[in-house]
Amino acid sequence: MSHKIILDTDPGIDDAMAIFFAFQHPDIDVLGLTTVYGNVPVEMAAKNAITLCDLAGKNIPVCKGVGMPWVGPESSYAHFVHGDDGFGNINFPAAKGELDPRSSAQFIVDMARKYPGEITIVAIGPLGNLALALRLEPELPKLVKAVSIMGGAAFVRGNVTPVAEANIWNDAHAAEIVFGASWELNMFGLDVTNACPFSPEFLTQLKENNQKLGGFVHDAAQFYVKFYSQNRDEDVCFFHDAMPIAHLIDPSLFELQTGHGRVSTDPLNRGQTSIALPNTTASPDWLNAELVNVATKVDNERLTKLYLDTYKL
Ligand code: BDR
Ligand code: CA
């Protein structure tokens, strides 16, 4: 079955891996890339997205989106994870393509109106574009099929603070708006993404399977591996962002649990995603919150095979 998706992204090394994975798989039809600040400033995210499309030979719209959190000052960026260029400092030549003139949020709304009920928005960066799209078109939840995000940490610790994951922490107010909308929301957070470490051998295999796209990910990820391998006995990295796409292709790779989800916006707990599973609270603050499907288990072996096989196609 083919899935029409919009990928909302802040490339980013694991974003690049996820984008190529989506481009490669015959069941995924990427209508466009919408970009957002996060790992890098939004201008760089947009330029990087154009470069990735060019490398993959994909002629699809790339839009620039929000560059600031919903509330508060400009964010800091994750250059220490993704490099000064977002691609692990490999000095990859930037492509010259043009941006679509629409904002990311406007593109999301336009596509949702064009294909009512057909599109899954896959958001793998902070959620400002989605929050803005909800403001532009309050009927958006009725127009899209579902929203799948990489973000949050439901039953595990965070990666920016003890309670918060980077994408949600980066724009907690926007995330609260997205979690508060009445749509099917599927969350792939650190519960599953940190449970699936990838070795340097995986990267070598990815390059062998696809010299151009796998080779790019392999080269860019060397910096990323160094970051993730600090204070560990083995070299590893984590491809967080590809998981919501893998779920669309093969839902049987994951176990999901459904609960009422909330995002904290107070300074200390900023970006905490808390899930009330059924019969765990009588608090109306929770029971009135929207439902979220949270991935809590993943089959690492079959997921790894899916990535490698798809890069080979
Ligand atoms: C998320 O934050 C970014 O660094 C990654 O691209 C991913 O989307 C992981 O916490
Ligand atoms: Ca990302």
Coordinates of all heavy atoms in Angstrom, one line a residue, residues 83-119:
G83 N 27.4 18.4 13.4 CA 28.4 19.2 12.7 C 27.9 20.6 12.4 O 26.8 20.9 12.4
D84 N 28.9 21.4 12.0 CA 28.6 22.8 11.7 C 27.7 22.9 10.5 O 26.9 23.9 10.4 CB 29.9 23.6 11.3 CG 30.8 23.8 12.6 OD1 30.3 23.6 13.7 OD2 32.0 24.0 12.4
D85 N 27.7 22.0 9.6 CA 26.9 22.0 8.4 C 25.7 21.1 8.4 O 24.9 21.0 7.5 CB 27.8 21.5 7.2 CG 28.4 20.1 7.4 OD1 28.2 19.6 8.5 OD2 29.0 19.6 6.5
G86 N 25.5 20.5 9.6 CA 24.4 19.5 9.7 C 24.6 18.2 9.1 O 23.9 17.2 9.2
F87 N 25.8 18.1 8.4 CA 26.1 16.8 7.7 C 27.5 16.3 8.2 O 28.3 15.8 7.4 CB 26.2 17.0 6.2 CG 24.8 17.2 5.6 CD1 24.7 18.0 4.4 CD2 23.6 16.7 6.1 CE1 23.5 18.2 3.8 CE2 22.4 16.9 5.5 CZ 22.3 17.6 4.3
G88 N 27.8 16.5 9.5 CA 29.0 15.9 10.0 C 30.3 16.5 9.5 O 31.4 15.9 9.4
N89 N 30.3 17.8 9.0 CA 31.4 18.5 8.5 C 32.2 17.8 7.4 O 33.4 17.8 7.3 CB 32.5 18.8 9.6 CG 31.8 19.7 10.7 OD1 30.9 20.4 10.5 ND2 32.3 19.5 11.9
I90 N 31.4 17.2 6.4 CA 32.0 16.5 5.3 C 32.3 17.4 4.1 O 32.7 16.9 3.0 CB 31.3 15.2 4.9 CG1 29.8 15.6 4.5 CG2 31.4 14.2 6.0 CD1 29.0 14.4 3.9
N91 N 31.9 18.7 4.2 CA 32.1 19.6 3.1 C 31.4 19.2 1.8 O 32.0 19.3 0.8 CB 33.6 19.9 2.8 CG 34.3 20.5 4.0 OD1 33.7 21.5 4.6 ND2 35.4 20.0 4.4
F92 N 30.2 18.7 2.0 CA 29.5 18.2 0.8 C 29.0 19.5 0.0 O 28.4 20.4 0.6 CB 28.3 17.4 1.2 CG 27.8 16.6 0.1 CD1 28.4 15.4 -0.3 CD2 26.7 17.0 -0.7 CE1 27.9 14.6 -1.4 CE2 26.2 16.2 -1.8 CZ 26.9 15.1 -2.1
P93 N 29.2 19.5 -1.3 CA 28.8 20.7 -2.0 C 27.3 21.0 -2.0 O 26.5 20.0 -2.3 CB 29.3 20.5 -3.5 CG 29.7 19.1 -3.5 CD 29.9 18.5 -2.1
A94 N 26.9 22.2 -1.7 CA 25.4 22.5 -1.6 C 24.9 22.6 -3.0 O 25.5 23.1 -3.9 CB 25.2 23.8 -0.9
A95 N 23.7 22.0 -3.2 CA 23.0 22.1 -4.5 C 22.4 23.4 -4.7 O 22.1 24.2 -3.7 CB 21.9 21.0 -4.6
K96 N 22.1 23.8 -5.9 CA 21.6 25.2 -6.2 C 20.1 25.3 -6.4 O 19.6 26.4 -6.7 CB 22.3 25.7 -7.5 CG 23.8 25.9 -7.3 CD 24.3 27.0 -8.2 CE 25.7 27.5 -7.9 NZ 26.7 26.5 -7.6
G97 N 19.3 24.2 -6.1 CA 17.9 24.3 -6.3 C 17.2 25.4 -5.6 O 17.7 26.0 -4.7
E98 N 16.0 25.7 -6.1 CA 15.1 26.8 -5.6 C 14.2 26.2 -4.5 O 13.7 25.1 -4.6 CB 14.3 27.3 -6.7 CG 15.0 28.1 -7.8 CD 15.5 29.4 -7.3 OE1 14.7 30.2 -6.7 OE2 16.7 29.7 -7.5
L99 N 13.9 27.1 -3.5 CA 12.9 26.7 -2.6 C 11.5 27.0 -3.2 O 11.3 27.9 -4.0 CB 13.0 27.7 -1.4 CG 14.0 27.3 -0.3 CD1 14.1 28.4 0.7 CD2 13.6 26.0 0.4
D100 N 10.5 26.2 -2.7 CA 9.1 26.5 -3.0 C 8.8 27.8 -2.3 O 9.2 28.0 -1.2 CB 8.3 25.3 -2.5 CG 6.8 25.4 -2.9 OD1 6.1 26.2 -2.3 OD2 6.4 24.7 -3.8
P101 N 8.0 28.7 -2.9 CA 7.8 30.0 -2.3 C 6.9 29.9 -1.1 O 6.9 30.9 -0.3 CB 7.1 30.8 -3.4 CG 6.6 29.8 -4.4 CD 7.5 28.6 -4.3
R102 N 6.2 28.8 -0.9 CA 5.3 28.7 0.3 C 6.0 28.4 1.6 O 7.1 27.8 1.6 CB 4.2 27.6 0.1 CG 3.2 28.0 -1.0 CD 2.4 26.8 -1.4 NE 3.1 25.9 -2.3 CZ 2.6 24.9 -2.8 NH1 1.4 24.5 -2.7 NH2 3.3 24.1 -3.6
S103 N 5.5 28.8 2.7 CA 6.0 28.4 4.0 C 5.7 26.9 4.2 O 4.8 26.4 3.5 CB 5.4 29.2 5.1 OG 4.0 28.8 5.3
S104 N 6.4 26.3 5.1 CA 6.2 24.9 5.4 C 4.8 24.7 5.8 O 4.1 23.7 5.3 CB 7.1 24.4 6.5 OG 8.5 24.4 6.0
A105 N 4.3 25.5 6.7 CA 2.9 25.4 7.2 C 1.9 25.5 6.1 O 0.9 24.7 6.0 CB 2.6 26.4 8.3
Q106 N 2.1 26.5 5.2 CA 1.1 26.7 4.1 C 1.1 25.5 3.1 O 0.1 25.0 2.6 CB 1.5 28.0 3.3 CG 0.4 28.4 2.3 CD -0.9 28.7 2.9 OE1 -1.0 29.5 3.8 NE2 -2.0 28.0 2.5
F107 N 2.3 24.9 2.9 CA 2.4 23.7 2.0 C 1.6 22.6 2.6 O 0.9 21.8 1.9 CB 3.9 23.4 1.8 CG 4.1 22.2 0.9 CD1 4.0 22.3 -0.5 CD2 4.4 20.9 1.5 CE1 4.2 21.2 -1.3 CE2 4.5 19.8 0.6 CZ 4.4 19.9 -0.7
I108 N 1.8 22.4 3.9 CA 1.1 21.3 4.6 C -0.4 21.5 4.4 O -1.1 20.5 4.1 CB 1.5 21.2 6.1 CG1 2.9 20.8 6.3 CG2 0.5 20.4 6.9 CD1 3.5 20.9 7.7
V109 N -0.9 22.7 4.6 CA -2.3 23.0 4.5 C -2.8 22.7 3.1 O -3.8 22.1 2.8 CB -2.6 24.4 5.0 CG1 -4.1 24.8 4.6 CG2 -2.4 24.5 6.5
D110 N -2.0 23.2 2.1 CA -2.4 23.1 0.7 C -2.5 21.6 0.3 O -3.4 21.2 -0.4 CB -1.3 23.8 -0.2 CG -1.4 25.3 -0.2 OD1 -2.3 25.8 0.5 OD2 -0.6 26.0 -0.8
M111 N -1.5 20.9 0.7 CA -1.5 19.4 0.3 C -2.7 18.7 1.0 O -3.3 17.8 0.4 CB -0.2 18.8 0.7 CG 1.0 19.2 -0.2 SD 0.8 18.8 -1.9 CE 0.6 20.5 -2.6
A112 N -2.9 19.0 2.3 CA -4.0 18.4 3.0 C -5.4 18.7 2.3 O -6.2 17.8 2.3 CB -4.0 18.8 4.5
R113 N -5.5 19.9 1.8 CA -6.8 20.3 1.1 C -6.8 19.6 -0.2 O -7.9 19.2 -0.7 CB -6.8 21.8 0.9 CG -7.1 22.5 2.2 CD -7.1 24.0 1.9 NE -7.4 24.8 3.1 CZ -6.9 26.1 3.3 NH1 -6.2 26.7 2.4 NH2 -7.2 26.7 4.5
K114 N -5.7 19.4 -0.9 CA -5.7 18.8 -2.2 C -6.0 17.3 -2.1 O -6.6 16.7 -3.0 CB -4.3 19.0 -2.8 CG -4.2 18.5 -4.2 CD -2.9 19.0 -4.9 CE -2.7 18.4 -6.3 NZ -1.4 18.7 -6.8
Y115 N -5.5 16.6 -1.1 CA -5.6 15.1 -0.9 C -6.3 14.8 0.4 O -5.7 14.2 1.3 CB -4.3 14.4 -0.9 CG -3.5 14.7 -2.2 CD1 -2.3 15.5 -2.2 CD2 -3.8 14.0 -3.4 CE1 -1.6 15.6 -3.3 CE2 -3.1 14.2 -4.5 CZ -1.9 15.0 -4.5 OH -1.2 15.2 -5.6
P116 N -7.6 15.3 0.6 CA -8.2 15.1 1.9 C -8.2 13.6 2.4 O -8.6 12.7 1.6 CB -9.6 15.6 1.7 CG -9.8 15.8 0.3 CD -8.5 15.9 -0.4
G117 N -7.8 13.4 3.6 CA -7.8 12.1 4.2 C -6.7 11.1 3.8 O -6.7 10.0 4.1
E118 N -5.8 11.6 2.9 CA -4.8 10.7 2.3 C -3.4 10.9 2.9 O -2.6 10.0 2.8 CB -4.7 11.0 0.8 CG -5.9 10.5 0.0 CD -5.6 10.6 -1.5 OE1 -4.6 10.2 -2.0 OE2 -6.5 11.2 -2.1
I119 N -3.1 12.0 3.5 CA -1.7 12.3 3.8 C -1.4 12.0 5.3 O -2.1 12.3 6.2 CB -1.4 13.8 3.5 CG1 -1.5 14.1 2.0 CG2 0.0 14.2 4.0 CD1 -1.3 15.5 1.7

